[in-house]
Amino acid sequence: MNADVVVIGAGITGAAVARGLSRYALDIILVEKEADFCFGASKANTGTIHAGYSDLPGTVKSRLCVRGNALYEQLCKELGVEFEHNGSLVVALNTDDLKILEELRQKGITNGVPDLRIIEKDELHQMEPNLTQNAIAALYAPTAGIMSPYEMTIALCENAIHNGVTPLLEAEVQGIEKQNSRVKRVITTQGIIRTKFVVNASGLYADDVSQMVGIDDFHIYPRKGEYFIFDKGAGSLVNRPVFPTPTLISKGILVTKTIDGNTMIGPNAQDLDTKYKYAKDRNATTNEGLNEVLEAASRLVPDLPKASTINNFAGLRAVSNTGDFIIRSYQKIKGFINVAGIKSPGLTAAPAIAELVIQILKHEGLELKPKKEFDPIREKPIKFTDLSPEGKDALIAKDPRYGHIVCRCENVTEGEIVDATKRGAHTMDGIKYRTRCGMGRCQGGFCGPRVAAVLARELSIPLEQVTKDGDGSNLVVGKTKSVLKEKASV
Ligand SMILES: Cc1cc2nc3c(=O)[nH]c(=O)nc-3n(C[C@H](O)[C@H](O)[C@H](O)COP(=O)(O)OP(=O)(O)OC[C@H]3O[C@@H](n4cnc5c(N)ncnc54)[C@H](O)[C@@H]3O)c2cc1C
């Protein structure tokens, strides 16, 4: 394979870079070790588009957060992704906290965050009636918002592919060869790619990939964050992300509503000593962690309907020992760009990270010839549940599969599952992140087997080959009765 640019990692960062580069006449390959896009940190976070008052002025992340926030409105329009500009609150529970609010406000002003203001108790409780009576004031940032991080990442990938980017999934980068101090070949488990430019957006593993070209001046370690998500039936207990005052290492455990209307609480922040050991367990939640989340969130919103939690999950932040995003090229290895240490606010900053990476590539000698045929629009997939009754009738008349509800909790139809497979989903999680099948109250208990059957049919594979999220996560191994029959006949 040949490419002008190889982008390693199909999380929000790599997806934004690949989509940004697809504006130009270039051959781009987006390489991802997992079975689908967005299987790393980008799938398991709060989904807040931060305003930009949290980060230290002068850091790369503070600048890119504010810029990324400003770019999202237009990007969401182009990609048909929902974005609610509902603002965010940092709540003061005592007089010490008031000082912190003012510090955050000042930081925000220095970072260029517009319209920040401190609101008093009455206004705060009007905005958030379920908030604790101990809340005495808050920093209100109207430019913050919420979105679905996986919908956005997948939309960026789809639009990038529509504009000519080649995705290479289940392709782990295992080596990068150089010649005369310039990147030359990327060795993946799906083959070798000849290229002159490599963008390393491999999240938690960015230090390992960087070491493949001999750059080892930083390291990345995982910081786990755990969450609870509540049933939609419990309603939106808050109208926007509501944070406590920050801790030394995180923005604190918040209560938020998701773009899909669930209440969500979390994340805590627990540094892990390794990202390698027990790979599958790293993302597991713990009793201690979840209790910490529940206790902290209850300080903001008392009487959380604990019996209405429908799932808990964890995400891993890719924290660099430099304390900032590392986005740069190197004198000693031409054509290699690191995009590492992209912890929070990486989701917010992603469109601005892409802008910066493209500038760096240009500076490194990549020719950027705009493509006339670049199409910024990604058609929004049909969401049956959002259609009017007339719209639903018309759709069912055209394609009866839209009249067959498969996921009853989220009202997802067979037509939408089929459409998701046509858009590239080939695992249960791939369907889930594209359609919300299995994200409701039953968490796939009811619809799971039906989704698997549709997936097997559409991919023309036996049910035994349907996986949750790629190799080794098969749902079923065979027919129980056939085993019994075999035994009986012996
Ligand atoms: C708990 C938590 C809460 C957060 N909340 C927010 C928030 O509210 N707002 C916000 O702005 N940010 C938030 N963030 C940060 C945000 O989620 C991340 O900054 C962002 O998702 C990072 O994206 P990424 O593409 O750099 O990494 P990832 O999404 O991890 O993508 C990296 C990809 O590289 C792939 N990869 C790794 N190694 C290789 C290899 N050798 N070969 C091929 N592929 C490889 C991985 O499989 C992965 O898909 C949060 C993060 C966490 C964990």
Side-chain angles (χ1 to χ4, degrees), residues 7-15 31-34 36-50 65 72 145 149 153 168 170-175 187-188 200-206 208-209 212 223-227 243 251 254 266-268 313-318 325 339-350 353:
V7 179
I8 306 173
I12 188 81
T13 307
V31 183
E32 169 55 55
K33 73 178 167 67
E34 299 297 334
D36 203 345
F37 317 121
C38 203
F39 275 10
S42 301
K43 75 168 182 193
N45 57 60
T46 316
T48 308
I49 300 307
H50 292 289
C65 179
Y72 260 121
T153 307
L168 197 62
E170 292 178 311
E172 181 173 334
V173 172
Q174 298 191 323
I187 319 297
T188 83
N200 171 22
S202 57
L204 212 46
Y205 300 93
D208 295 347
V209 170
M212 292 175 191
R223 181 173 293 158
K224 192 196 272 197
E226 293 159 274
Y227 293 90
F243 294 85
K251 296 180 186 72
L254 76 151
N268 57 348
F313 65 94
L316 298 175
R317 306 166 181 91
F325 292 172
V339 192
I342 311 298
K343 68 176 191 85
S344 184
L347 172 68
T348 310
I353 293 176

Coordinates of all heavy atoms in Angstrom, one line a residue, residues 7-15 31-34 36-50 65 72 145 149 153 168 170-175 187-188 200-206 208-209 212 223-227 243 251 254 266-268 313-318 325 339-350 353, ligand 1:
V7 N -2.5 8.0 9.1 CA -2.9 8.5 10.4 C -3.1 7.3 11.2 O -3.9 6.4 10.8 CB -4.2 9.3 10.2 CG1 -4.7 9.8 11.6 CG2 -4.1 10.5 9.3
I8 N -2.5 7.2 12.4 CA -2.6 6.0 13.2 C -3.6 6.3 14.4 O -3.3 7.2 15.2 CB -1.2 5.6 13.8 CG1 -0.2 5.4 12.7 CG2 -1.4 4.3 14.7 CD1 1.2 5.2 13.2
G9 N -4.7 5.6 14.4 CA -5.7 5.8 15.5 C -6.9 6.4 15.0 O -6.9 7.5 14.5
A10 N -8.0 5.7 15.1 CA -9.3 6.2 14.6 C -10.2 6.6 15.8 O -11.4 6.2 15.9 CB -10.0 5.2 13.7
G11 N -9.7 7.3 16.8 CA -10.5 8.0 17.8 C -10.8 9.3 17.3 O -10.6 9.6 16.1
I12 N -11.4 10.2 18.1 CA -11.8 11.5 17.7 C -10.6 12.3 17.1 O -10.8 13.0 16.1 CB -12.5 12.3 18.8 CG1 -13.1 13.6 18.3 CG2 -11.5 12.6 20.0 CD1 -14.4 13.4 17.7
T13 N -9.4 12.1 17.6 CA -8.3 12.9 17.1 C -7.9 12.5 15.7 O -7.8 13.3 14.8 CB -7.0 12.7 18.0 OG1 -7.4 13.0 19.4 CG2 -5.9 13.6 17.7
G14 N -7.7 11.1 15.5 CA -7.3 10.7 14.2 C -8.4 10.9 13.2 O -8.1 11.2 12.0
A15 N -9.6 10.7 13.6 CA -10.8 10.9 12.7 C -10.8 12.4 12.3 O -11.0 12.7 11.1 CB -12.1 10.5 13.4
V31 N -5.4 4.1 10.0 CA -5.1 2.8 10.5 C -5.6 2.7 11.9 O -5.3 3.5 12.8 CB -3.6 2.5 10.5 CG1 -3.2 1.1 10.9 CG2 -3.0 2.8 9.1
E32 N -6.3 1.6 12.2 CA -6.9 1.4 13.5 C -6.7 -0.1 13.9 O -7.0 -1.0 13.1 CB -8.3 1.8 13.5 CG -9.1 1.4 14.8 CD -8.5 1.9 16.1 OE1 -8.3 3.1 16.2 OE2 -8.3 1.1 17.0
K33 N -6.2 -0.3 15.1 CA -6.0 -1.7 15.5 C -7.3 -2.4 15.9 O -7.3 -3.7 15.8 CB -5.0 -1.8 16.7 CG -5.4 -1.3 18.0 CD -4.3 -1.5 19.0 CE -4.6 -0.8 20.4 NZ -5.6 -1.4 21.2
E34 N -8.3 -1.7 16.3 CA -9.5 -2.4 16.7 C -10.4 -2.7 15.5 O -10.1 -2.3 14.4 CB -10.3 -1.5 17.7 CG -9.5 -1.2 19.0 CD -9.2 -2.4 19.8 OE1 -10.0 -3.4 19.7 OE2 -8.2 -2.4 20.6
D36 N -13.3 -1.5 14.8 CA -14.1 -0.4 14.3 C -13.5 0.9 14.8 O -12.6 1.0 15.7 CB -15.6 -0.5 14.9 CG -16.6 0.2 14.1 OD1 -16.2 1.1 13.2 OD2 -17.8 -0.1 14.2
F37 N -14.1 2.1 14.3 CA -13.7 3.4 14.8 C -14.2 3.6 16.2 O -15.2 3.0 16.6 CB -14.3 4.5 13.9 CG -14.2 4.2 12.4 CD1 -15.3 4.1 11.6 CD2 -13.0 4.0 11.8 CE1 -15.3 3.8 10.3 CE2 -12.9 3.7 10.5 CZ -14.0 3.6 9.7
C38 N -13.5 4.4 16.9 CA -14.0 4.9 18.2 C -14.2 3.8 19.3 O -15.2 3.7 20.0 CB -15.4 5.6 18.0 SG -15.7 6.7 19.4
F39 N -13.2 2.9 19.3 CA -13.2 1.9 20.4 C -12.2 2.2 21.5 O -12.0 1.4 22.4 CB -12.9 0.5 19.8 CG -14.1 -0.2 19.2 CD1 -15.3 0.4 19.0 CD2 -14.0 -1.6 18.8 CE1 -16.4 -0.3 18.5 CE2 -15.1 -2.3 18.3 CZ -16.3 -1.6 18.1
G40 N -11.6 3.4 21.5 CA -10.7 3.8 22.6 C -11.4 4.8 23.5 O -12.6 4.7 23.8
A41 N -10.6 5.8 24.0 CA -11.1 6.7 24.9 C -12.3 7.5 24.4 O -13.2 8.0 25.1 CB -10.0 7.7 25.3
S42 N -12.3 7.7 23.1 CA -13.4 8.5 22.5 C -14.8 8.0 22.7 O -15.7 8.7 22.5 CB -13.1 8.7 21.0 OG -11.8 9.3 20.8
K43 N -14.9 6.7 23.0 CA -16.2 6.1 23.2 C -16.7 6.3 24.6 O -17.9 6.1 24.9 CB -16.3 4.7 22.7 CG -15.7 3.7 23.7 CD -16.0 2.3 23.4 CE -15.3 1.5 24.5 NZ -15.2 0.0 24.2
A44 N -15.8 6.5 25.6 CA -16.2 6.4 27.0 C -15.7 7.6 27.7 O -14.8 7.6 28.4 CB -15.5 5.1 27.6
N45 N -16.5 8.7 27.5 CA -16.2 10.0 28.2 C -17.5 10.7 28.5 O -18.6 10.1 28.2 CB -15.2 10.8 27.4 CG -15.7 11.1 26.0 OD1 -16.8 11.7 25.8 ND2 -15.0 10.6 25.0
T46 N -17.4 11.9 28.9 CA -18.6 12.6 29.4 C -19.4 13.2 28.2 O -20.6 13.6 28.4 CB -18.2 13.7 30.4 OG1 -17.3 13.2 31.3 CG2 -19.4 14.2 31.2
G47 N -18.7 13.5 27.1 CA -19.4 14.1 26.0 C -19.6 15.6 26.2 O -20.5 16.2 25.5
T48 N -18.9 16.2 27.1 CA -19.0 17.7 27.3 C -18.1 18.4 26.3 O -16.9 18.0 26.1 CB -18.5 18.1 28.7 OG1 -19.2 17.3 29.6 CG2 -18.8 19.6 29.0
I49 N -18.7 19.4 25.6 CA -17.8 20.3 24.8 C -17.5 21.5 25.7 O -18.4 22.3 26.0 CB -18.6 20.7 23.5 CG1 -18.9 19.4 22.7 CG2 -17.7 21.7 22.7 CD1 -17.7 18.5 22.4
H50 N -16.3 21.4 26.3 CA -16.0 22.4 27.3 C -15.8 23.8 26.8 O -15.4 24.0 25.6 CB -14.7 22.0 28.0 CG -14.8 20.7 28.8 ND1 -15.4 20.6 30.0 CD2 -14.3 19.5 28.5 CE1 -15.4 19.4 30.4 NE2 -14.7 18.7 29.6
C65 N -8.7 24.0 23.1 CA -10.1 23.8 23.7 C -11.0 24.9 23.2 O -12.1 24.6 22.7 CB -10.0 23.7 25.2 SG -11.6 23.4 26.0
Y72 N -17.1 23.6 16.6 CA -18.1 22.5 16.6 C -19.5 22.8 15.9 O -20.1 21.9 15.3 CB -18.3 21.9 18.0 CG -17.4 20.6 18.2 CD1 -16.5 20.6 19.2 CD2 -17.6 19.5 17.4 CE1 -15.7 19.4 19.3 CE2 -16.9 18.4 17.5 CZ -15.9 18.3 18.5 OH -15.2 17.2 18.7
G145 N -21.3 22.8 25.9 CA -22.4 22.0 25.4 C -22.2 20.5 25.5 O -21.2 20.1 26.2
P149 N -20.0 11.5 21.8 CA -18.7 11.5 21.2 C -18.5 10.4 20.2 O -17.7 10.5 19.2 CB -17.8 11.1 22.5 CG -18.8 10.6 23.5 CD -20.1 11.2 23.2
T153 N -17.4 10.9 16.3 CA -16.2 10.2 15.7 C -16.5 9.4 14.5 O -15.8 9.5 13.5 CB -15.5 9.3 16.8 OG1 -15.3 10.1 18.0 CG2 -14.2 8.7 16.3
L168 N -8.2 1.3 7.4 CA -7.6 0.0 7.6 C -7.9 -0.4 9.0 O -7.2 0.0 9.9 CB -6.1 0.1 7.2 CG -5.4 -1.2 6.9 CD1 -5.9 -1.8 5.7 CD2 -3.9 -0.9 6.7
E170 N -8.6 -3.3 12.2 CA -7.9 -4.5 12.7 C -6.5 -4.5 12.2 O -6.0 -5.6 11.8 CB -8.7 -5.8 12.3 CG -10.0 -5.8 13.1 CD -10.9 -7.0 12.8 OE1 -11.1 -7.2 11.6 OE2 -11.4 -7.6 13.7
A171 N -5.9 -3.4 12.1 CA -4.5 -3.2 11.6 C -3.7 -2.5 12.7 O -3.7 -1.3 12.8 CB -4.5 -2.4 10.4
E172 N -3.0 -3.3 13.5 CA -2.2 -2.8 14.5 C -0.8 -2.3 13.9 O -0.2 -3.1 13.3 CB -1.9 -3.8 15.6 CG -1.1 -3.2 16.8 CD -1.0 -4.1 18.0 OE1 -1.9 -5.0 18.1 OE2 0.0 -4.0 18.7
V173 N -0.4 -1.1 14.2 CA 0.9 -0.7 13.8 C 1.9 -1.3 14.7 O 1.9 -1.1 15.9 CB 1.0 0.9 13.8 CG1 2.4 1.3 13.5 CG2 0.0 1.5 12.8
Q174 N 2.9 -2.0 14.1 CA 3.9 -2.7 14.9 C 5.3 -2.2 14.7 O 6.2 -2.6 15.4 CB 3.8 -4.2 14.6 CG 2.4 -4.8 15.0 CD 2.4 -6.3 15.0 OE1 3.0 -6.9 14.2 NE2 1.7 -6.9 15.9
G175 N 5.4 -1.4 13.7 CA 6.8 -0.8 13.5 C 6.7 0.3 12.5 O 5.7 0.4 11.7
I187 N 4.6 -0.5 9.3 CA 4.3 -2.0 9.3 C 3.1 -2.2 10.2 O 3.1 -1.9 11.4 CB 5.5 -2.7 9.9 CG1 6.9 -2.2 9.5 CG2 5.4 -4.2 9.7 CD1 7.2 -2.2 8.1
T188 N 2.1 -2.8 9.5 CA 0.8 -3.1 10.3 C 0.5 -4.6 10.2 O 1.1 -5.3 9.3 CB -0.4 -2.3 9.7 OG1 -0.9 -3.0 8.6 CG2 -0.1 -0.9 9.3
N200 N 0.7 10.3 14.4 CA 0.5 9.3 15.5 C -0.5 9.8 16.5 O -0.3 10.7 17.3 CB 1.9 9.1 16.3 CG 1.7 8.3 17.5 OD1 0.7 7.6 17.7 ND2 2.7 8.5 18.4
A201 N -1.8 9.3 16.3 CA -2.9 9.7 17.1 C -3.4 8.5 17.9 O -4.6 8.2 17.9 CB -4.0 10.4 16.3
S202 N -2.5 7.7 18.4 CA -2.9 6.4 19.0 C -3.2 6.4 20.4 O -3.1 5.3 21.1 CB -1.8 5.4 18.6 OG -0.5 5.8 19.1
G203 N -3.6 7.5 21.0 CA -4.2 7.6 22.3 C -3.2 7.1 23.4 O -2.1 7.5 23.5
L204 N -3.7 6.1 24.1 CA -3.0 5.5 25.2 C -1.6 4.9 24.8 O -0.7 4.8 25.6 CB -3.9 4.4 25.8 CG -3.9 4.1 27.3 CD1 -3.9 5.3 28.1 CD2 -5.0 3.2 27.6
Y205 N -1.5 4.6 23.6 CA -0.3 3.9 23.1 C 0.6 4.8 22.3 O 1.5 4.4 21.6 CB -0.7 2.7 22.3 CG -1.5 1.7 23.1 CD1 -2.9 1.7 23.1 CD2 -0.8 0.8 24.0 CE1 -3.6 0.9 23.9 CE2 -1.5 0.0 24.8 CZ -2.9 0.0 24.8 OH -3.7 -0.8 25.6
A206 N 0.3 6.1 22.4 CA 1.1 7.1 21.5 C 2.6 7.1 21.9 O 3.4 7.3 21.0 CB 0.5 8.5 21.7
D208 N 4.3 4.4 22.8 CA 4.8 3.1 22.2 C 5.1 3.4 20.7 O 6.1 3.0 20.2 CB 3.9 2.0 22.4 CG 3.7 1.6 23.8 OD1 4.5 2.0 24.6 OD2 2.8 0.8 24.1
V209 N 4.1 4.0 20.0 CA 4.2 4.2 18.6 C 5.4 5.2 18.3 O 6.2 5.0 17.4 CB 2.9 4.7 18.0 CG1 3.0 5.2 16.6 CG2 1.8 3.6 18.1
M212 N 8.7 3.8 18.2 CA 9.0 3.0 17.0 C 9.9 3.8 16.1 O 10.6 3.3 15.2 CB 7.7 2.6 16.2 CG 6.9 1.6 17.0 SD 5.3 1.3 16.1 CE 4.4 0.3 17.3
R223 N -5.4 7.1 33.2 CA -6.2 7.6 34.3 C -7.6 7.2 34.1 O -8.3 7.7 33.2 CB -6.0 9.1 34.5 CG -6.7 9.6 35.7 CD -6.4 11.1 35.9 NE -5.0 11.3 36.3 CZ -4.3 12.5 36.1 NH1 -4.9 13.5 35.6 NH2 -3.1 12.6 36.5
K224 N -8.1 6.3 35.0 CA -9.4 5.7 34.8 C -10.5 6.7 35.3 O -10.3 7.3 36.3 CB -9.5 4.4 35.5 CG -10.8 3.6 35.1 CD -11.1 2.5 36.1 CE -10.4 1.2 35.8 NZ -10.9 0.1 36.5
G225 N -11.6 6.7 34.6 CA -12.8 7.5 35.0 C -14.0 6.6 34.9 O -14.3 6.0 33.9
E226 N -14.8 6.5 36.1 CA -15.9 5.6 36.1 C -17.2 6.4 36.1 O -17.3 7.5 36.6 CB -15.9 4.7 37.3 CG -14.7 3.7 37.2 CD -14.3 3.1 38.6 OE1 -13.5 3.8 39.2 OE2 -14.8 2.1 38.9
Y227 N -18.3 5.8 35.5 CA -19.6 6.5 35.4 C -20.7 5.5 35.7 O -20.6 4.3 35.6 CB -19.8 6.8 33.9 CG -18.9 7.9 33.3 CD1 -17.7 7.5 32.7 CD2 -19.2 9.2 33.4 CE1 -16.9 8.5 32.1 CE2 -18.4 10.2 32.8 CZ -17.2 9.8 32.2 OH -16.4 10.7 31.6
F243 N -20.7 20.7 37.3 CA -19.4 20.3 38.0 C -19.3 20.8 39.4 O -19.9 21.9 39.7 CB -18.2 20.9 37.2 CG -18.1 20.3 35.8 CD1 -18.8 20.9 34.7 CD2 -17.2 19.3 35.5 CE1 -18.6 20.5 33.4 CE2 -17.0 18.8 34.2 CZ -17.7 19.4 33.2
K251 N -11.5 17.6 36.6 CA -12.6 18.6 36.7 C -13.6 18.3 37.7 O -14.5 19.0 38.0 CB -13.2 18.8 35.3 CG -12.2 19.3 34.3 CD -12.9 19.5 32.9 CE -11.9 19.9 31.9 NZ -11.0 18.8 31.5
L254 N -19.1 15.0 38.0 CA -20.2 15.9 37.7 C -21.5 15.1 37.5 O -21.6 13.9 37.5 CB -19.9 16.6 36.4 CG -20.0 15.9 35.0 CD1 -20.4 16.9 33.9 CD2 -18.7 15.2 34.7
G266 N -20.3 11.0 37.0 CA -18.9 10.6 36.9 C -18.1 11.7 36.3 O -18.6 12.8 36.1
P267 N -16.9 11.5 35.9 CA -16.1 10.4 36.2 C -15.2 10.7 37.4 O -14.9 11.8 37.7 CB -15.2 10.3 35.0 CG -15.0 11.7 34.5 CD -16.3 12.4 35.0
N268 N -14.8 9.6 38.1 CA -13.7 9.8 39.1 C -12.4 9.8 38.4 O -12.3 9.7 37.2 CB -13.8 8.7 40.2 CG -13.7 7.3 39.6 OD1 -13.8 7.1 38.4 ND2 -13.5 6.3 40.4
F313 N -19.8 2.2 33.4 CA -18.7 2.0 32.5 C -17.5 2.8 32.9 O -17.6 3.7 33.7 CB -19.1 2.2 31.0 CG -19.4 3.7 30.7 CD1 -18.4 4.5 30.2 CD2 -20.7 4.2 31.0 CE1 -18.7 5.9 30.0 CE2 -21.0 5.5 30.7 CZ -20.0 6.4 30.2
A314 N -16.3 2.5 32.3 CA -15.1 3.3 32.6 C -14.4 3.7 31.3 O -14.5 2.9 30.3 CB -14.2 2.5 33.5
G315 N -13.7 4.8 31.3 CA -12.9 5.2 30.2 C -11.5 5.5 30.8 O -11.3 5.7 32.0
L316 N -10.5 5.4 29.9 CA -9.1 5.7 30.3 C -8.6 6.9 29.6 O -8.5 7.0 28.4 CB -8.3 4.5 29.9 CG -8.6 3.1 30.6 CD1 -7.8 2.0 30.0 CD2 -8.5 3.2 32.1
R317 N -8.2 7.9 30.4 CA -7.6 9.1 29.9 C -6.1 8.8 29.5 O -5.5 8.1 30.3 CB -7.6 10.3 30.9 CG -9.0 10.6 31.4 CD -8.9 11.5 32.6 NE -10.1 11.8 33.3 CZ -10.7 11.2 34.3 NH1 -10.2 10.0 34.7 NH2 -11.8 11.6 34.8
A318 N -5.7 9.3 28.4 CA -4.2 9.1 28.1 C -3.5 10.3 28.6 O -3.4 11.4 28.0 CB -4.1 9.0 26.6
F325 N -1.0 18.7 26.0 CA -1.0 17.9 24.7 C 0.4 18.0 24.1 O 1.0 19.1 24.2 CB -2.0 18.6 23.7 CG -3.5 18.5 24.1 CD1 -4.4 19.2 23.4 CD2 -3.9 17.7 25.2 CE1 -5.8 19.1 23.7 CE2 -5.3 17.6 25.5 CZ -6.2 18.3 24.7
V339 N 0.7 13.3 18.1 CA -0.5 14.0 18.6 C -0.8 13.1 19.9 O -1.6 12.2 19.8 CB -1.6 14.0 17.6 CG1 -2.7 14.9 18.1 CG2 -1.2 14.4 16.2
A340 N -0.1 13.4 21.0 CA -0.1 12.5 22.1 C -0.6 13.3 23.4 O -0.6 14.5 23.4 CB 1.3 12.0 22.3
G341 N -0.9 12.5 24.4 CA -1.3 13.1 25.7 C -2.6 13.8 25.5 O -2.9 14.8 26.2
I342 N -3.5 13.3 24.6 CA -4.8 14.0 24.4 C -5.8 13.5 25.4 O -6.7 12.7 25.1 CB -5.2 13.8 22.9 CG1 -4.1 14.0 21.9 CG2 -6.4 14.6 22.6 CD1 -3.5 15.5 22.0
K343 N -5.7 14.0 26.6 CA -6.7 13.7 27.6 C -7.7 14.8 27.5 O -7.7 15.6 26.5 CB -6.0 13.6 29.0 CG -5.5 14.9 29.5 CD -4.9 14.6 30.9 CE -4.6 15.9 31.7 NZ -5.7 16.6 32.4
S344 N -8.6 14.9 28.5 CA -9.6 16.0 28.5 C -8.9 17.3 28.4 O -7.9 17.5 29.1 CB -10.5 15.9 29.7 OG -11.5 16.8 29.6
P345 N -9.3 18.2 27.6 CA -10.5 18.3 26.8 C -10.3 17.9 25.3 O -10.6 18.7 24.4 CB -10.9 19.8 26.9 CG -9.5 20.5 26.9 CD -8.6 19.5 27.6
G346 N -9.8 16.7 25.1 CA -9.5 16.2 23.8 C -10.6 16.1 22.8 O -10.5 16.4 21.6
L347 N -11.8 15.7 23.3 CA -13.0 15.7 22.5 C -13.3 17.1 22.0 O -13.5 17.3 20.8 CB -14.2 15.1 23.3 CG -15.5 15.2 22.6 CD1 -15.6 14.2 21.4 CD2 -16.6 14.8 23.6
T348 N -13.3 18.1 22.9 CA -13.6 19.4 22.5 C -12.6 20.0 21.6 O -12.9 20.6 20.6 CB -13.6 20.3 23.8 OG1 -14.3 19.7 24.8 CG2 -14.0 21.7 23.5
A349 N -11.3 19.7 21.8 CA -10.2 20.3 21.0 C -10.0 19.7 19.7 O -9.4 20.3 18.8 CB -8.9 20.2 21.8
A350 N -10.6 18.5 19.4 CA -10.3 17.7 18.2 C -10.3 18.5 16.9 O -9.3 18.4 16.1 CB -11.2 16.4 18.2
I353 N -7.3 20.6 17.0 CA -6.1 19.7 16.9 C -5.8 19.4 15.4 O -4.7 19.5 14.9 CB -6.2 18.4 17.7 CG1 -6.3 18.7 19.2 CG2 -5.1 17.5 17.4 CD1 -6.5 17.5 20.1
Ligands
LIG1 C1 -13.3 9.5 31.6 C2 -13.0 10.5 30.6 C3 -13.8 11.6 30.5 C4 -13.6 12.5 29.5 N1 -14.5 13.6 29.3 C5 -14.2 14.5 28.3 C6 -15.2 15.5 28.0 O1 -16.2 15.6 28.6 N2 -14.9 16.4 27.1 C7 -13.7 16.4 26.4 O2 -13.5 17.3 25.6 N3 -12.8 15.3 26.5 C8 -13.1 14.4 27.5 N4 -12.2 13.3 27.6 C9 -11.1 13.2 26.8 C10 -11.4 12.6 25.4 O3 -12.2 11.5 25.6 C11 -10.1 12.2 24.8 O4 -9.2 13.3 24.8 C12 -10.2 11.8 23.4 O5 -11.2 10.8 23.3 C13 -8.9 11.2 22.9 O6 -9.1 10.8 21.6 P1 -7.9 10.1 20.8 O7 -8.4 9.9 19.4 O8 -6.7 10.9 21.0 O9 -7.7 8.7 21.5 P2 -8.6 7.3 21.4 O10 -10.0 7.6 21.3 O11 -8.1 6.5 22.5 O12 -8.1 6.8 20.0 C14 -6.8 6.2 19.8 C15 -7.0 5.1 18.9 O13 -5.7 4.6 18.5 C16 -5.8 3.2 18.3 N5 -4.5 2.6 18.4 C17 -3.7 2.6 19.5 N6 -2.5 1.9 19.2 C18 -2.5 1.6 17.9 C19 -1.6 0.9 17.1 N7 -0.4 0.5 17.5 N8 -2.0 0.7 15.8 C20 -3.3 1.1 15.3 N9 -4.2 1.8 16.1 C21 -3.8 2.0 17.4 C22 -6.7 2.8 19.5 O14 -7.3 1.5 19.3 C23 -7.7 3.9 19.5 O15 -8.9 3.6 18.7 C24 -12.5 12.4 28.6 C25 -11.7 11.2 28.7 C26 -12.0 10.2 29.6 C27 -11.3 9.0 29.6

